[in-house]
Amino acid sequence: MRMNLAVAFAGAIVAASATPVTAQSYDANPTVNYTYGVGNGYNPANAVVSTKTTNGVTTGELAVRAHLANSVIPASSTGGTGIYTFALGQKVSFDYSFFGSALPDATVTLTNLDGSGTASFAAALIGGFQPNGALQNSEQLGFGFLNGGSVFGNLHFNNLVDSTYSINLMGGGQSVTAFAQLGKGFTAVNGAVPEPATWLMMILGLGTIGFAMRRRQKVSTQVSYAG
Protein backbone atom coordinates (compact mmCIF):
# COMPACT_ATOMS: atom_id res chain seq x y z
CA MET A 1 0.00 0.00 0.00
CA ARG A 2 2.80 2.39 0.93
CA MET A 3 4.63 1.51 -2.27
CA ASN A 4 1.52 2.27 -4.36
CA LEU A 5 1.13 5.64 -2.64
CA ALA A 6 4.78 6.46 -3.23
CA VAL A 7 4.49 5.57 -6.91
CA ALA A 8 1.32 7.63 -7.27
CA PHE A 9 2.94 10.60 -5.52
CA ALA A 10 6.02 10.39 -7.73
CA GLY A 11 3.81 10.22 -10.82
CA ALA A 12 1.94 13.34 -9.72
CA ILE A 13 5.22 15.22 -9.26
CA VAL A 14 6.40 14.22 -12.74
CA ALA A 15 3.07 15.26 -14.30
CA ALA A 16 3.14 18.60 -12.50
CA SER A 17 6.71 19.29 -13.58
CA ALA A 18 5.74 18.63 -17.21
CA THR A 19 3.00 21.28 -17.21
CA PRO A 20 3.92 24.05 -19.70
CA VAL A 21 4.43 27.52 -18.25
CA THR A 22 3.91 30.61 -20.43
CA ALA A 23 5.46 34.00 -19.64
CA GLN A 24 5.35 37.31 -21.51
CA SER A 25 8.12 39.91 -21.50
CA TYR A 26 8.75 43.29 -23.10
CA ASP A 27 11.90 44.86 -24.59
CA ALA A 28 13.34 41.37 -24.47
CA ASN A 29 15.47 38.98 -26.47
CA PRO A 30 13.61 35.84 -27.58
CA THR A 31 15.15 32.52 -26.62
CA VAL A 32 15.32 31.75 -30.34
CA ASN A 33 17.25 34.71 -31.77
CA TYR A 34 16.20 36.59 -34.88
CA THR A 35 18.28 35.53 -37.86
CA TYR A 36 16.16 36.74 -40.79
CA GLY A 37 16.88 39.67 -43.05
CA VAL A 38 19.43 42.45 -43.42
CA GLY A 39 19.17 44.93 -40.57
CA ASN A 40 17.02 42.67 -38.40
CA GLY A 41 19.71 41.06 -36.25
CA TYR A 42 20.26 43.93 -33.86
CA ASN A 43 20.79 43.22 -30.18
CA PRO A 44 19.12 43.71 -27.74
CA ALA A 45 16.08 42.67 -29.74
CA ASN A 46 13.63 44.83 -27.70
CA ALA A 47 10.79 42.51 -28.74
CA VAL A 48 7.50 41.53 -27.13
CA VAL A 49 7.99 37.84 -26.36
CA SER A 50 5.69 35.03 -25.23
CA THR A 51 7.71 31.99 -24.16
CA LYS A 52 6.29 28.58 -23.27
CA THR A 53 8.60 26.35 -21.27
CA THR A 54 8.27 22.73 -20.17
CA ASN A 55 10.73 21.47 -17.56
CA GLY A 56 12.82 24.55 -18.21
CA VAL A 57 13.04 23.95 -21.98
CA THR A 58 11.50 26.36 -24.51
CA THR A 59 8.79 24.43 -26.34
CA GLY A 60 6.91 27.31 -27.95
CA GLU A 61 7.69 30.97 -28.54
CA LEU A 62 6.26 34.04 -30.25
CA ALA A 63 8.23 37.26 -30.68
CA VAL A 64 7.34 40.49 -32.48
CA ARG A 65 8.83 43.96 -32.72
CA ALA A 66 8.55 47.04 -34.93
CA HIS A 67 11.45 49.15 -36.17
CA LEU A 68 12.46 51.63 -38.85
CA ALA A 69 12.72 49.84 -42.18
CA ASN A 70 16.25 48.88 -43.25
CA SER A 71 17.73 50.15 -40.01
CA VAL A 72 19.73 48.32 -37.33
CA ILE A 73 18.71 50.93 -34.75
CA PRO A 74 15.95 49.65 -32.41
CA ALA A 75 12.75 51.67 -32.48
CA SER A 76 11.92 53.73 -29.42
CA SER A 77 9.62 51.66 -27.23
CA THR A 78 7.56 52.42 -24.17
CA GLY A 79 8.63 49.91 -21.53
CA GLY A 80 6.07 47.31 -20.57
CA THR A 81 3.50 48.27 -23.21
CA GLY A 82 4.79 46.92 -26.52
CA ILE A 83 4.33 50.36 -28.15
CA TYR A 84 6.97 51.38 -30.71
CA THR A 85 6.92 55.01 -31.82
CA PHE A 86 7.73 56.51 -35.22
CA ALA A 87 7.72 59.94 -36.81
CA LEU A 88 5.25 60.67 -39.58
CA GLY A 89 6.67 59.73 -42.96
CA GLN A 90 8.88 56.90 -41.68
CA LYS A 91 8.65 53.40 -43.14
CA VAL A 92 7.79 50.83 -40.49
CA SER A 93 9.01 47.23 -40.55
CA PHE A 94 7.88 44.49 -38.20
CA ASP A 95 9.84 41.34 -37.46
CA TYR A 96 8.13 38.20 -36.21
CA SER A 97 9.21 34.79 -35.00
CA PHE A 98 7.31 31.55 -34.31
CA PHE A 99 8.95 28.53 -32.74
CA GLY A 100 8.03 25.03 -31.55
CA SER A 101 4.38 24.45 -30.70
CA ALA A 102 3.49 27.87 -32.17
CA LEU A 103 4.41 26.79 -35.71
CA PRO A 104 1.47 24.69 -37.03
CA ASP A 105 -1.17 27.46 -36.91
CA ALA A 106 1.14 30.51 -36.89
CA THR A 107 -0.93 33.55 -37.88
CA VAL A 108 -0.13 37.27 -38.16
CA THR A 109 -2.96 39.80 -37.90
CA LEU A 110 -2.54 43.53 -38.43
CA THR A 111 -5.16 46.07 -37.41
CA ASN A 112 -5.43 49.78 -38.08
CA LEU A 113 -6.85 50.98 -34.76
CA ASP A 114 -8.78 53.78 -36.44
CA GLY A 115 -11.08 51.00 -37.60
CA SER A 116 -10.42 51.43 -41.31
CA GLY A 117 -8.67 48.19 -42.07
CA THR A 118 -7.13 44.87 -41.13
CA ALA A 119 -4.95 42.24 -42.80
CA SER A 120 -4.12 38.68 -41.81
CA PHE A 121 -1.97 35.88 -43.15
CA ALA A 122 -0.69 32.43 -42.27
CA ALA A 123 3.03 32.87 -41.58
CA ALA A 124 3.95 29.59 -43.29
CA LEU A 125 2.40 30.87 -46.52
CA ILE A 126 4.88 33.75 -46.63
CA GLY A 127 7.81 31.50 -45.73
CA GLY A 128 10.97 32.16 -43.77
CA PHE A 129 11.91 28.87 -42.05
CA GLN A 130 15.33 29.34 -40.47
CA PRO A 131 18.17 26.93 -39.58
CA ASN A 132 17.41 27.46 -35.88
CA GLY A 133 13.98 25.87 -36.39
CA ALA A 134 12.01 29.11 -36.17
CA LEU A 135 9.66 30.60 -38.75
CA GLN A 136 10.80 34.21 -39.06
CA ASN A 137 10.24 37.02 -41.49
CA SER A 138 10.24 40.78 -41.80
CA GLU A 139 7.58 42.82 -43.57
CA GLN A 140 6.69 46.48 -43.89
CA LEU A 141 3.29 47.81 -42.88
CA GLY A 142 3.17 49.60 -46.21
CA PHE A 143 3.77 46.55 -48.40
CA GLY A 144 1.23 46.12 -51.19
CA PHE A 145 0.11 42.62 -50.30
CA LEU A 146 -1.12 43.97 -46.94
CA ASN A 147 -2.84 47.01 -48.40
CA GLY A 148 -4.15 46.08 -51.82
CA GLY A 149 -7.44 44.50 -50.83
CA SER A 150 -6.16 41.01 -51.69
CA VAL A 151 -7.05 37.78 -49.91
CA PHE A 152 -4.87 39.05 -47.06
CA GLY A 153 -7.13 42.08 -46.44
CA ASN A 154 -6.42 45.80 -46.53
CA LEU A 155 -4.65 47.53 -43.65
CA HIS A 156 -5.04 51.02 -45.15
CA PHE A 157 -1.59 51.96 -43.90
CA ASN A 158 -0.66 55.63 -44.32
CA ASN A 159 2.56 56.80 -42.69
CA LEU A 160 1.61 60.46 -43.20
CA VAL A 161 -1.38 60.22 -40.85
CA ASP A 162 -1.35 59.95 -37.05
CA SER A 163 -2.48 56.42 -36.28
CA THR A 164 -1.64 53.25 -34.37
CA TYR A 165 -1.34 49.75 -35.82
CA SER A 166 -1.43 46.52 -33.85
CA ILE A 167 0.65 43.50 -34.85
CA ASN A 168 -0.71 40.31 -33.32
CA LEU A 169 0.83 36.83 -33.47
CA MET A 170 -1.16 33.70 -32.63
CA GLY A 171 0.02 30.11 -32.59
CA GLY A 172 -0.13 27.01 -30.42
CA GLY A 173 -2.53 28.65 -27.96
CA GLN A 174 -0.18 31.59 -27.43
CA SER A 175 -0.75 35.20 -28.43
CA VAL A 176 1.39 38.34 -28.35
CA THR A 177 0.80 41.89 -29.61
CA ALA A 178 2.99 44.88 -30.43
CA PHE A 179 1.88 48.37 -31.51
CA ALA A 180 3.40 50.74 -34.08
CA GLN A 181 2.46 54.34 -33.31
CA LEU A 182 2.83 56.90 -36.11
CA GLY A 183 3.12 60.49 -34.94
CA LYS A 184 0.62 61.12 -32.14
CA GLY A 185 -1.06 57.78 -32.74
CA PHE A 186 -4.75 57.15 -33.26
CA THR A 187 -6.88 59.66 -31.40
CA ALA A 188 -10.49 58.84 -30.62
CA VAL A 189 -13.33 61.31 -31.14
CA ASN A 190 -13.15 62.42 -27.53
CA GLY A 191 -9.46 63.27 -27.93
CA ALA A 192 -8.21 60.43 -25.73
CA VAL A 193 -5.55 58.04 -26.99
CA PRO A 194 -6.81 54.52 -26.17
CA GLU A 195 -4.64 52.27 -24.04
CA PRO A 196 -3.43 49.25 -26.06
CA ALA A 197 -4.89 46.87 -23.49
CA THR A 198 -8.40 48.05 -24.39
CA TRP A 199 -7.88 46.73 -27.91
CA LEU A 200 -6.62 43.25 -27.06
CA MET A 201 -9.97 41.48 -26.95
CA MET A 202 -10.97 42.99 -30.29
CA ILE A 203 -7.61 42.09 -31.82
CA LEU A 204 -7.81 38.50 -30.60
CA GLY A 205 -11.29 38.24 -32.08
CA LEU A 206 -10.13 39.64 -35.42
CA GLY A 207 -7.15 37.31 -35.37
CA THR A 208 -9.40 34.29 -34.86
CA ILE A 209 -11.68 35.41 -37.69
CA GLY A 210 -8.71 36.07 -39.97
CA PHE A 211 -7.22 32.66 -39.24
CA ALA A 212 -10.56 30.96 -39.98
CA MET A 213 -10.75 32.82 -43.28
CA ARG A 214 -7.24 31.69 -44.22
CA ARG A 215 -8.17 28.07 -43.52
CA ARG A 216 -11.11 28.35 -45.93
CA GLN A 217 -8.98 29.78 -48.70
CA LYS A 218 -6.53 27.66 -50.66
CA VAL A 219 -3.77 30.06 -51.64
CA SER A 220 -0.49 28.93 -53.12
CA THR A 221 1.18 32.33 -53.55
CA GLN A 222 4.70 32.55 -52.15
CA VAL A 223 5.81 36.00 -51.03
CA SER A 224 9.01 36.90 -49.20
CA TYR A 225 10.30 40.34 -48.35
CA ALA A 226 13.26 41.66 -46.46
CA GLY A 227 12.73 44.40 -43.92
Side-chain angles (χ1 to χ4, degrees):
M1 181 64 177
R2 290 181 179 178
M3 179 63 71
N4 290 338
L5 288 174
V7 171
F9 183 67
I13 292 176
V14 171
S17 64
T19 301
V21 176
T22 302
Q24 183 161 304
S25 53
Y26 295 89
D27 296 314
N29 284 316
T31 303
V32 182
N33 291 328
Y34 284 106
T35 61
Y36 180 85
V38 176
N40 299 328
Y42 60 78
N43 188 24
N46 83 320
V48 185
V49 183
S50 172
T51 304
K52 181 189 294 183
T53 57
T54 305
N55 292 335
V57 177
T58 299
T59 53
E61 187 168 75
L62 308 177
V64 60
R65 66 187 179 191
H67 66 97
L68 188 63
N70 303 312
S71 174
V72 296
I73 302 174
S76 176
S77 60
T78 305
T81 65
I83 302 173
Y84 300 82
T85 56
F86 302 87
L88 290 179
Q90 290 186 325
K91 294 181 178 180
V92 180
S93 283
F94 64 96
D95 303 335
Y96 58 85
S97 177
F98 295 87
F99 177 76
S101 60
L103 286 171
D105 58 344
T107 305
V108 180
T109 300
L110 309 162
T111 304
N112 189 332
L113 296 190
D114 70 2
S116 66
T118 185
S120 182
F121 59 89
L125 180 65
I126 304 300
F129 287 96
Q130 305 302 315
N132 61 13
L135 173 56
Q136 301 176 337
N137 218 317
S138 180
E139 314 294 346
Q140 290 186 27
L141 292 181
F143 277 158
F145 83 101
L146 298 174
N147 292 276
S150 67
V151 294
F152 300 108
N154 195 338
L155 184 60
H156 290 289
F157 176 75
N158 186 343
N159 64 355
L160 299 178
V161 175
D162 293 317
S163 195
T164 304
Y165 302 85
S166 68
I167 309 158
N168 174 256
L169 310 185
M170 295 183 69
Q174 293 174 255
S175 178
V176 69
T177 303
F179 299 86
Q181 177 180 307
L182 273 293
K184 297 178 182 178
F186 170 62
T187 303
V189 175
N190 62 5
V193 178
E195 291 293 329
T198 65
W199 295 97
L200 288 181
M201 292 304 295
M202 179 188 74
I203 293 165
L204 289 175
L206 288 172
T208 302
I209 294 171
F211 176 62
M213 291 174 64
R214 299 288 80 75
R215 287 179 64 88
R216 291 200 299 267
Q217 295 169 332
K218 295 181 179 179
V219 182
S220 59
T221 305
Q222 291 293 323
V223 184
S224 183
Y225 298 97

